[in-house]
Amino acid sequence: METISKVLDLILPILAIVVLCMSNMKLLLMGEIAMNGIVFLSYILSSGISGAGVMILAIVQSVIMFFLSGKQKQAKIVTWVFLGIHTVWTVLAFETLRDLLPFACVVFYTLCLMQPTAKKFKVFKAGNAGCWVVYDLLICNYTVLITHGIQLIMSLIGVFRKEKAVTK
């Protein structure tokens, strides 16, 4: 199982680079769904249960938000419902303080999904990736750590690249 996890983790950095170079929100969401699916499997195979629970909920939330694109009122309701579900999951999966990190990731990810533009999405994605970096270090999942590190870097590049282009 560990080998399968490592193979899946090799796909993630490439996917992260491609997805976070996109500026279309629908494409960003589709890429996030794919990446979250692979990370979910990796966490399941490496015993990161609290992280896996967050990933499966993030997949469902992302799919719903994909279909609610442009419908702000419904999207806000879904956002609050998923924050509630994530809170319950955090309480149920809580064993150590490290289990609070996936919840912090959820808050950042939820804020990502609420953003109307790719630039704003990437600002919150950087916070999300930063929290996952710490979680990956704590559970010793170094291959996903590489992916989340790349997501952090690519998100920051995406924010500043877009900002630089706007100021020119």
Side-chain angles (χ1 to χ4, degrees):
M1 293 295 193
E2 189 77 18
T3 306
I4 296 170
S5 174
K6 302 294 183 223
V7 170
L8 289 172
D9 295 343
L10 291 174
I11 298 168
L12 282 169
I14 298 163
L15 189 56
I17 290 169
V18 170
V19 169
L20 289 168
C21 285
M22 296 176 181
S23 59
N24 178 295
M25 280 301 291
K26 287 251 186 195
L27 293 176
L28 268 172
L29 284 174
M30 289 186 339
E32 285 292 319
I33 293 165
M35 284 191 301
N36 287 339
I38 294 170
V39 173
F40 165 76
L41 292 174
S42 178
Y43 282 151
I44 286 289
L45 296 172
S46 64
S47 301
I49 301 303
S50 58
V54 167
M55 288 287 101
I56 195 69
L57 289 173
I59 293 166
V60 174
Q61 184 180 11
S62 298
V63 169
I64 292 170
M65 295 302 276
F66 178 84
F67 288 109
L68 290 179
S69 182
K71 299 175 183 168
Q72 292 295 10
K73 186 175 181 179
Q74 293 93 334
K76 284 182 182 181
I77 293 168
V78 167
T79 298
W80 285 108
V81 168
F82 271 92
L83 277 176
I85 292 168
H86 283 296
T87 302
V88 170
W89 173 255
T90 300
V91 170
L92 292 175
F94 184 82
E95 291 179 8
T96 66
L97 285 176
R98 85 163 182 215
D99 293 325
L100 294 176
L101 280 168
F103 185 71
C105 296
V106 163
V107 172
F108 277 112
Y109 190 69
T110 299
L111 291 170
C112 284
L113 296 177
M114 293 174 62
Q115 301 311 307
T117 65
K119 178 184 176 181
K120 290 180 180 180
F121 178 97
K122 290 174 185 177
V123 168
F124 290 102
K125 183 64 180 176
N128 171 270
C131 287
W132 281 122
V133 163
V134 175
Y135 180 76
D136 295 336
L137 282 168
L138 292 174
I139 69 163
C140 302
N141 192 334
Y142 300 115
T143 50
V144 175
L145 170 67
I146 293 167
T147 298
H148 285 131
I150 289 171
Q151 286 180 334
L152 177 60
I153 292 165
M154 292 302 294
S155 294
L156 292 172
I157 288 171
V159 167
F160 292 114
R161 182 184 68 202
K162 293 286 182 188
E163 187 174 291
K164 189 176 179 180
V166 169
T167 58
K168 283 187 174 181

mmCIF file of all heavy atoms in Angstrom, residues 67-105:
data_model
loop_
_atom_site.group_PDB
_atom_site.id
_atom_site.type_symbol
_atom_site.label_atom_id
_atom_site.label_comp_id
_atom_site.label_asym_id
_atom_site.label_seq_id
_atom_site.Cartn_x
_atom_site.Cartn_y
_atom_site.Cartn_z
ATOM 1 N N PHE A 67 -20.584 23.322 -9.753
ATOM 2 C CA PHE A 67 -21.897 23.436 -10.375
ATOM 3 C C PHE A 67 -22.650 24.684 -9.924
ATOM 4 O O PHE A 67 -23.583 25.115 -10.594
ATOM 5 C CB PHE A 67 -22.723 22.176 -10.128
ATOM 6 C CG PHE A 67 -22.230 21.005 -10.926
ATOM 7 C CD1 PHE A 67 -21.591 19.947 -10.309
ATOM 8 C CD2 PHE A 67 -22.373 20.978 -12.308
ATOM 9 C CE1 PHE A 67 -21.121 18.871 -11.045
ATOM 10 C CE2 PHE A 67 -21.906 19.914 -13.061
ATOM 11 C CZ PHE A 67 -21.274 18.859 -12.422
ATOM 12 N N LEU A 68 -22.251 25.262 -8.793
ATOM 13 C CA LEU A 68 -22.907 26.486 -8.316
ATOM 14 C C LEU A 68 -22.163 27.748 -8.735
ATOM 15 O O LEU A 68 -22.502 28.833 -8.277
ATOM 16 C CB LEU A 68 -23.020 26.464 -6.783
ATOM 17 C CG LEU A 68 -23.998 25.474 -6.183
ATOM 18 C CD1 LEU A 68 -23.969 25.560 -4.667
ATOM 19 C CD2 LEU A 68 -25.412 25.701 -6.703
ATOM 20 N N SER A 69 -21.202 27.610 -9.603
ATOM 21 C CA SER A 69 -20.426 28.762 -10.044
ATOM 22 C C SER A 69 -21.346 29.861 -10.560
ATOM 23 O O SER A 69 -22.186 29.624 -11.428
ATOM 24 C CB SER A 69 -19.445 28.334 -11.136
ATOM 25 O OG SER A 69 -18.661 29.413 -11.545
ATOM 26 N N GLY A 70 -21.205 31.058 -9.975
ATOM 27 C CA GLY A 70 -22.033 32.192 -10.374
ATOM 28 C C GLY A 70 -23.311 32.332 -9.572
ATOM 29 O O GLY A 70 -24.042 33.297 -9.723
ATOM 30 N N LYS A 71 -23.607 31.370 -8.718
ATOM 31 C CA LYS A 71 -24.806 31.427 -7.870
ATOM 32 C C LYS A 71 -24.355 31.670 -6.433
ATOM 33 O O LYS A 71 -24.217 30.748 -5.636
ATOM 34 C CB LYS A 71 -25.595 30.131 -7.981
ATOM 35 C CG LYS A 71 -26.074 29.853 -9.387
ATOM 36 C CD LYS A 71 -26.748 28.511 -9.491
ATOM 37 C CE LYS A 71 -27.133 28.254 -10.942
ATOM 38 N NZ LYS A 71 -27.525 26.878 -11.165
ATOM 39 N N GLN A 72 -24.109 32.929 -6.106
ATOM 40 C CA GLN A 72 -23.481 33.301 -4.829
ATOM 41 C C GLN A 72 -24.296 32.896 -3.606
ATOM 42 O O GLN A 72 -23.742 32.425 -2.622
ATOM 43 C CB GLN A 72 -23.188 34.811 -4.796
ATOM 44 C CG GLN A 72 -22.111 35.252 -5.763
ATOM 45 C CD GLN A 72 -20.743 34.659 -5.417
ATOM 46 O OE1 GLN A 72 -20.577 33.787 -4.597
ATOM 47 N NE2 GLN A 72 -19.732 35.171 -6.081
ATOM 48 N N LYS A 73 -25.606 33.089 -3.645
ATOM 49 C CA LYS A 73 -26.426 32.799 -2.466
ATOM 50 C C LYS A 73 -26.370 31.307 -2.115
ATOM 51 O O LYS A 73 -26.151 30.940 -0.964
ATOM 52 C CB LYS A 73 -27.876 33.240 -2.692
ATOM 53 C CG LYS A 73 -28.741 33.111 -1.470
ATOM 54 C CD LYS A 73 -30.134 33.670 -1.700
ATOM 55 C CE LYS A 73 -30.958 33.534 -0.436
ATOM 56 N NZ LYS A 73 -32.300 34.074 -0.610
ATOM 57 N N GLN A 74 -26.569 30.461 -3.107
ATOM 58 C CA GLN A 74 -26.518 29.018 -2.875
ATOM 59 C C GLN A 74 -25.110 28.583 -2.460
ATOM 60 O O GLN A 74 -24.951 27.701 -1.612
ATOM 61 C CB GLN A 74 -26.947 28.232 -4.130
ATOM 62 C CG GLN A 74 -28.401 28.414 -4.491
ATOM 63 C CD GLN A 74 -28.616 29.536 -5.503
ATOM 64 O OE1 GLN A 74 -27.827 30.469 -5.610
ATOM 65 N NE2 GLN A 74 -29.705 29.449 -6.241
ATOM 66 N N ALA A 75 -24.093 29.202 -3.048
ATOM 67 C CA ALA A 75 -22.710 28.859 -2.722
ATOM 68 C C ALA A 75 -22.396 29.180 -1.263
ATOM 69 O O ALA A 75 -21.706 28.419 -0.582
ATOM 70 C CB ALA A 75 -21.742 29.590 -3.651
ATOM 71 N N LYS A 76 -22.918 30.296 -0.760
ATOM 72 C CA LYS A 76 -22.682 30.655 0.649
ATOM 73 C C LYS A 76 -23.337 29.655 1.585
ATOM 74 O O LYS A 76 -22.761 29.274 2.603
ATOM 75 C CB LYS A 76 -23.185 32.072 0.928
ATOM 76 C CG LYS A 76 -22.281 33.138 0.383
ATOM 77 C CD LYS A 76 -22.773 34.527 0.722
ATOM 78 C CE LYS A 76 -21.844 35.561 0.103
ATOM 79 N NZ LYS A 76 -22.256 36.929 0.416
ATOM 80 N N ILE A 77 -24.535 29.206 1.250
ATOM 81 C CA ILE A 77 -25.219 28.213 2.078
ATOM 82 C C ILE A 77 -24.411 26.920 2.115
ATOM 83 O O ILE A 77 -24.180 26.349 3.182
ATOM 84 C CB ILE A 77 -26.654 27.967 1.560
ATOM 85 C CG1 ILE A 77 -27.506 29.222 1.760
ATOM 86 C CG2 ILE A 77 -27.286 26.756 2.241
ATOM 87 C CD1 ILE A 77 -28.838 29.202 1.041
ATOM 88 N N VAL A 78 -23.970 26.472 0.949
ATOM 89 C CA VAL A 78 -23.161 25.251 0.872
ATOM 90 C C VAL A 78 -21.879 25.418 1.681
ATOM 91 O O VAL A 78 -21.452 24.502 2.396
ATOM 92 C CB VAL A 78 -22.838 24.904 -0.606
ATOM 93 C CG1 VAL A 78 -21.767 23.843 -0.711
ATOM 94 C CG2 VAL A 78 -24.101 24.464 -1.323
ATOM 95 N N THR A 79 -21.274 26.584 1.612
ATOM 96 C CA THR A 79 -20.046 26.858 2.348
ATOM 97 C C THR A 79 -20.253 26.675 3.845
ATOM 98 O O THR A 79 -19.469 26.010 4.517
ATOM 99 C CB THR A 79 -19.556 28.287 2.052
ATOM 100 O OG1 THR A 79 -19.258 28.373 0.660
ATOM 101 C CG2 THR A 79 -18.329 28.632 2.857
ATOM 102 N N TRP A 80 -21.314 27.260 4.381
ATOM 103 C CA TRP A 80 -21.585 27.149 5.817
ATOM 104 C C TRP A 80 -21.914 25.712 6.220
ATOM 105 O O TRP A 80 -21.499 25.242 7.280
ATOM 106 C CB TRP A 80 -22.686 28.111 6.234
ATOM 107 C CG TRP A 80 -22.185 29.516 6.276
ATOM 108 C CD1 TRP A 80 -22.478 30.527 5.412
ATOM 109 C CD2 TRP A 80 -21.243 30.065 7.214
ATOM 110 N NE1 TRP A 80 -21.795 31.665 5.749
ATOM 111 C CE2 TRP A 80 -21.026 31.415 6.857
ATOM 112 C CE3 TRP A 80 -20.566 29.546 8.303
ATOM 113 C CZ2 TRP A 80 -20.171 32.242 7.561
ATOM 114 C CZ3 TRP A 80 -19.708 30.376 9.019
ATOM 115 C CH2 TRP A 80 -19.520 31.703 8.646
ATOM 116 N N VAL A 81 -22.650 25.006 5.371
ATOM 117 C CA VAL A 81 -22.962 23.603 5.659
ATOM 118 C C VAL A 81 -21.676 22.786 5.731
ATOM 119 O O VAL A 81 -21.478 21.992 6.664
ATOM 120 C CB VAL A 81 -23.932 23.021 4.600
ATOM 121 C CG1 VAL A 81 -24.031 21.513 4.698
ATOM 122 C CG2 VAL A 81 -25.305 23.666 4.731
ATOM 123 N N PHE A 82 -20.781 22.988 4.768
ATOM 124 C CA PHE A 82 -19.534 22.215 4.768
ATOM 125 C C PHE A 82 -18.610 22.591 5.918
ATOM 126 O O PHE A 82 -17.924 21.730 6.465
ATOM 127 C CB PHE A 82 -18.823 22.309 3.416
ATOM 128 C CG PHE A 82 -19.273 21.239 2.483
ATOM 129 C CD1 PHE A 82 -20.324 21.463 1.612
ATOM 130 C CD2 PHE A 82 -18.676 19.998 2.491
ATOM 131 C CE1 PHE A 82 -20.773 20.472 0.768
ATOM 132 C CE2 PHE A 82 -19.110 18.987 1.651
ATOM 133 C CZ PHE A 82 -20.162 19.227 0.787
ATOM 134 N N LEU A 83 -18.590 23.842 6.321
ATOM 135 C CA LEU A 83 -17.803 24.210 7.507
ATOM 136 C C LEU A 83 -18.343 23.489 8.738
ATOM 137 O O LEU A 83 -17.570 23.016 9.580
ATOM 138 C CB LEU A 83 -17.790 25.721 7.719
ATOM 139 C CG LEU A 83 -16.765 26.489 6.902
ATOM 140 C CD1 LEU A 83 -16.923 27.990 7.128
ATOM 141 C CD2 LEU A 83 -15.348 26.056 7.211
ATOM 142 N N GLY A 84 -19.650 23.350 8.822
ATOM 143 C CA GLY A 84 -20.256 22.596 9.924
ATOM 144 C C GLY A 84 -19.880 21.128 9.881
ATOM 145 O O GLY A 84 -19.515 20.529 10.905
ATOM 146 N N ILE A 85 -19.941 20.538 8.690
ATOM 147 C CA ILE A 85 -19.576 19.127 8.532
ATOM 148 C C ILE A 85 -18.098 18.929 8.889
ATOM 149 O O ILE A 85 -17.747 17.970 9.596
ATOM 150 C CB ILE A 85 -19.864 18.640 7.094
ATOM 151 C CG1 ILE A 85 -21.371 18.616 6.844
ATOM 152 C CG2 ILE A 85 -19.249 17.265 6.847
ATOM 153 C CD1 ILE A 85 -21.750 18.420 5.386
ATOM 154 N N HIS A 86 -17.248 19.816 8.415
ATOM 155 C CA HIS A 86 -15.822 19.709 8.726
ATOM 156 C C HIS A 86 -15.567 19.847 10.226
ATOM 157 O O HIS A 86 -14.700 19.165 10.778
ATOM 158 C CB HIS A 86 -15.019 20.772 7.971
ATOM 159 C CG HIS A 86 -14.805 20.458 6.530
ATOM 160 N ND1 HIS A 86 -14.073 19.378 6.095
ATOM 161 C CD2 HIS A 86 -15.218 21.085 5.407
ATOM 162 C CE1 HIS A 86 -14.047 19.352 4.781
ATOM 163 N NE2 HIS A 86 -14.744 20.378 4.331
ATOM 164 N N THR A 87 -16.318 20.703 10.891
ATOM 165 C CA THR A 87 -16.161 20.865 12.338
ATOM 166 C C THR A 87 -16.515 19.563 13.056
ATOM 167 O O THR A 87 -15.780 19.111 13.939
ATOM 168 C CB THR A 87 -17.049 22.023 12.855
ATOM 169 O OG1 THR A 87 -16.680 23.221 12.159
ATOM 170 C CG2 THR A 87 -16.879 22.227 14.340
ATOM 171 N N VAL A 88 -17.625 18.937 12.657
ATOM 172 C CA VAL A 88 -18.017 17.660 13.249
ATOM 173 C C VAL A 88 -16.939 16.605 12.981
ATOM 174 O O VAL A 88 -16.539 15.856 13.885
ATOM 175 C CB VAL A 88 -19.393 17.202 12.709
ATOM 176 C CG1 VAL A 88 -19.701 15.773 13.120
ATOM 177 C CG2 VAL A 88 -20.486 18.154 13.176
ATOM 178 N N TRP A 89 -16.432 16.545 11.743
ATOM 179 C CA TRP A 89 -15.382 15.582 11.409
ATOM 180 C C TRP A 89 -14.139 15.807 12.268
ATOM 181 O O TRP A 89 -13.535 14.854 12.758
ATOM 182 C CB TRP A 89 -15.003 15.646 9.931
ATOM 183 C CG TRP A 89 -13.815 14.788 9.633
ATOM 184 C CD1 TRP A 89 -12.547 15.203 9.394
ATOM 185 C CD2 TRP A 89 -13.770 13.364 9.615
ATOM 186 N NE1 TRP A 89 -11.716 14.118 9.218
ATOM 187 C CE2 TRP A 89 -12.444 12.980 9.350
ATOM 188 C CE3 TRP A 89 -14.719 12.365 9.795
ATOM 189 C CZ2 TRP A 89 -12.042 11.652 9.256
ATOM 190 C CZ3 TRP A 89 -14.322 11.037 9.695
ATOM 191 C CH2 TRP A 89 -13.003 10.697 9.435
ATOM 192 N N THR A 90 -13.762 17.049 12.473
ATOM 193 C CA THR A 90 -12.584 17.371 13.278
ATOM 194 C C THR A 90 -12.770 16.866 14.707
ATOM 195 O O THR A 90 -11.857 16.273 15.289
ATOM 196 C CB THR A 90 -12.306 18.886 13.275
ATOM 197 O OG1 THR A 90 -12.069 19.298 11.926
ATOM 198 C CG2 THR A 90 -11.104 19.242 14.130
ATOM 199 N N VAL A 91 -13.945 17.079 15.252
ATOM 200 C CA VAL A 91 -14.218 16.610 16.619
ATOM 201 C C VAL A 91 -14.174 15.087 16.683
ATOM 202 O O VAL A 91 -13.573 14.505 17.600
ATOM 203 C CB VAL A 91 -15.585 17.154 17.117
ATOM 204 C CG1 VAL A 91 -15.999 16.492 18.418
ATOM 205 C CG2 VAL A 91 -15.530 18.667 17.267
ATOM 206 N N LEU A 92 -14.758 14.414 15.697
ATOM 207 C CA LEU A 92 -14.786 12.947 15.697
ATOM 208 C C LEU A 92 -13.403 12.332 15.483
ATOM 209 O O LEU A 92 -13.085 11.294 16.064
ATOM 210 C CB LEU A 92 -15.746 12.433 14.617
ATOM 211 C CG LEU A 92 -17.228 12.719 14.843
ATOM 212 C CD1 LEU A 92 -18.042 12.267 13.639
ATOM 213 C CD2 LEU A 92 -17.723 12.040 16.118
ATOM 214 N N ALA A 93 -12.585 12.957 14.637
ATOM 215 C CA ALA A 93 -11.267 12.401 14.303
ATOM 216 C C ALA A 93 -10.165 12.882 15.242
ATOM 217 O O ALA A 93 -9.028 12.429 15.139
ATOM 218 C CB ALA A 93 -10.904 12.760 12.863
ATOM 219 N N PHE A 94 -10.497 13.776 16.159
ATOM 220 C CA PHE A 94 -9.481 14.397 17.005
ATOM 221 C C PHE A 94 -8.819 13.378 17.925
ATOM 222 O O PHE A 94 -9.467 12.667 18.677
ATOM 223 C CB PHE A 94 -10.101 15.516 17.849
ATOM 224 C CG PHE A 94 -9.094 16.252 18.680
ATOM 225 C CD1 PHE A 94 -8.331 17.255 18.108
ATOM 226 C CD2 PHE A 94 -8.884 15.929 20.006
ATOM 227 C CE1 PHE A 94 -7.388 17.942 18.855
ATOM 228 C CE2 PHE A 94 -7.950 16.609 20.757
ATOM 229 C CZ PHE A 94 -7.197 17.614 20.183
ATOM 230 N N GLU A 95 -7.491 13.296 17.817
ATOM 231 C CA GLU A 95 -6.688 12.471 18.721
ATOM 232 C C GLU A 95 -5.575 13.303 19.339
ATOM 233 O O GLU A 95 -5.278 13.174 20.509
ATOM 234 C CB GLU A 95 -6.099 11.269 17.976
ATOM 235 C CG GLU A 95 -7.141 10.247 17.566
ATOM 236 C CD GLU A 95 -6.533 9.087 16.802
ATOM 237 O OE1 GLU A 95 -5.291 8.984 16.720
ATOM 238 O OE2 GLU A 95 -7.317 8.278 16.280
ATOM 239 N N THR A 96 -4.947 14.120 18.508
ATOM 240 C CA THR A 96 -3.850 14.968 18.984
ATOM 241 C C THR A 96 -4.033 16.364 18.399
ATOM 242 O O THR A 96 -4.862 16.572 17.514
ATOM 243 C CB THR A 96 -2.471 14.418 18.534
ATOM 244 O OG1 THR A 96 -2.383 14.514 17.107
ATOM 245 C CG2 THR A 96 -2.268 12.972 18.962
ATOM 246 N N LEU A 97 -3.233 17.293 18.873
ATOM 247 C CA LEU A 97 -3.322 18.663 18.359
ATOM 248 C C LEU A 97 -3.058 18.736 16.867
ATOM 249 O O LEU A 97 -3.572 19.615 16.186
ATOM 250 C CB LEU A 97 -2.358 19.575 19.114
ATOM 251 C CG LEU A 97 -2.796 19.947 20.525
ATOM 252 C CD1 LEU A 97 -1.724 20.775 21.216
ATOM 253 C CD2 LEU A 97 -4.114 20.693 20.513
ATOM 254 N N ARG A 98 -2.277 17.808 16.331
ATOM 255 C CA ARG A 98 -1.994 17.845 14.881
ATOM 256 C C ARG A 98 -3.268 17.673 14.064
ATOM 257 O O ARG A 98 -3.339 18.096 12.917
ATOM 258 C CB ARG A 98 -0.949 16.804 14.503
ATOM 259 C CG ARG A 98 -1.548 15.458 14.270
ATOM 260 C CD ARG A 98 -0.695 14.500 13.532
ATOM 261 N NE ARG A 98 -1.510 13.308 13.402
ATOM 262 C CZ ARG A 98 -1.070 12.100 13.442
ATOM 263 N NH1 ARG A 98 0.202 11.867 13.584
ATOM 264 N NH2 ARG A 98 -1.887 11.097 13.320
ATOM 265 N N ASP A 99 -4.287 17.054 14.657
ATOM 266 C CA ASP A 99 -5.543 16.855 13.947
ATOM 267 C C ASP A 99 -6.325 18.150 13.756
ATOM 268 O O ASP A 99 -7.322 18.171 13.046
ATOM 269 C CB ASP A 99 -6.407 15.817 14.668
ATOM 270 C CG ASP A 99 -5.780 14.426 14.617
ATOM 271 O OD1 ASP A 99 -5.144 14.107 13.597
ATOM 272 O OD2 ASP A 99 -5.918 13.682 15.603
ATOM 273 N N LEU A 100 -5.882 19.225 14.385
ATOM 274 C CA LEU A 100 -6.518 20.527 14.168
ATOM 275 C C LEU A 100 -6.027 21.185 12.877
ATOM 276 O O LEU A 100 -6.704 22.042 12.317
ATOM 277 C CB LEU A 100 -6.260 21.457 15.355
ATOM 278 C CG LEU A 100 -6.910 21.029 16.671
ATOM 279 C CD1 LEU A 100 -6.502 21.980 17.783
ATOM 280 C CD2 LEU A 100 -8.416 20.943 16.538
ATOM 281 N N LEU A 101 -4.850 20.786 12.405
ATOM 282 C CA LEU A 101 -4.308 21.390 11.177
ATOM 283 C C LEU A 101 -5.193 21.156 9.955
ATOM 284 O O LEU A 101 -5.415 22.094 9.185
ATOM 285 C CB LEU A 101 -2.888 20.896 10.920
ATOM 286 C CG LEU A 101 -1.829 21.602 11.751
ATOM 287 C CD1 LEU A 101 -0.501 20.862 11.666
ATOM 288 C CD2 LEU A 101 -1.665 23.034 11.303
ATOM 289 N N PRO A 102 -5.716 19.937 9.752
ATOM 290 C CA PRO A 102 -6.611 19.784 8.603
ATOM 291 C C PRO A 102 -7.823 20.708 8.670
ATOM 292 O O PRO A 102 -8.308 21.174 7.644
ATOM 293 C CB PRO A 102 -7.033 18.310 8.666
ATOM 294 C CG PRO A 102 -5.874 17.642 9.316
ATOM 295 C CD PRO A 102 -5.398 18.630 10.352
ATOM 296 N N PHE A 103 -8.301 21.014 9.882
ATOM 297 C CA PHE A 103 -9.426 21.945 9.992
ATOM 298 C C PHE A 103 -9.015 23.350 9.557
ATOM 299 O O PHE A 103 -9.765 24.044 8.868
ATOM 300 C CB PHE A 103 -9.998 21.968 11.412
ATOM 301 C CG PHE A 103 -11.216 22.829 11.528
ATOM 302 C CD1 PHE A 103 -12.418 22.441 10.952
ATOM 303 C CD2 PHE A 103 -11.165 24.046 12.174
ATOM 304 C CE1 PHE A 103 -13.554 23.240 11.029
ATOM 305 C CE2 PHE A 103 -12.291 24.860 12.252
ATOM 306 C CZ PHE A 103 -13.489 24.456 11.685
ATOM 307 N N ALA A 104 -7.806 23.769 9.937
ATOM 308 C CA ALA A 104 -7.299 25.073 9.476
ATOM 309 C C ALA A 104 -7.201 25.076 7.952
ATOM 310 O O ALA A 104 -7.549 26.073 7.297
ATOM 311 C CB ALA A 104 -5.944 25.366 10.103
ATOM 312 N N CYS A 105 -6.783 23.946 7.389
ATOM 313 C CA CYS A 105 -6.716 23.822 5.930
ATOM 314 C C CYS A 105 -8.100 23.978 5.312
ATOM 315 O O CYS A 105 -8.253 24.607 4.263
ATOM 316 C CB CYS A 105 -6.127 22.464 5.545
ATOM 317 S SG CYS A 105 -4.436 22.218 6.066
#
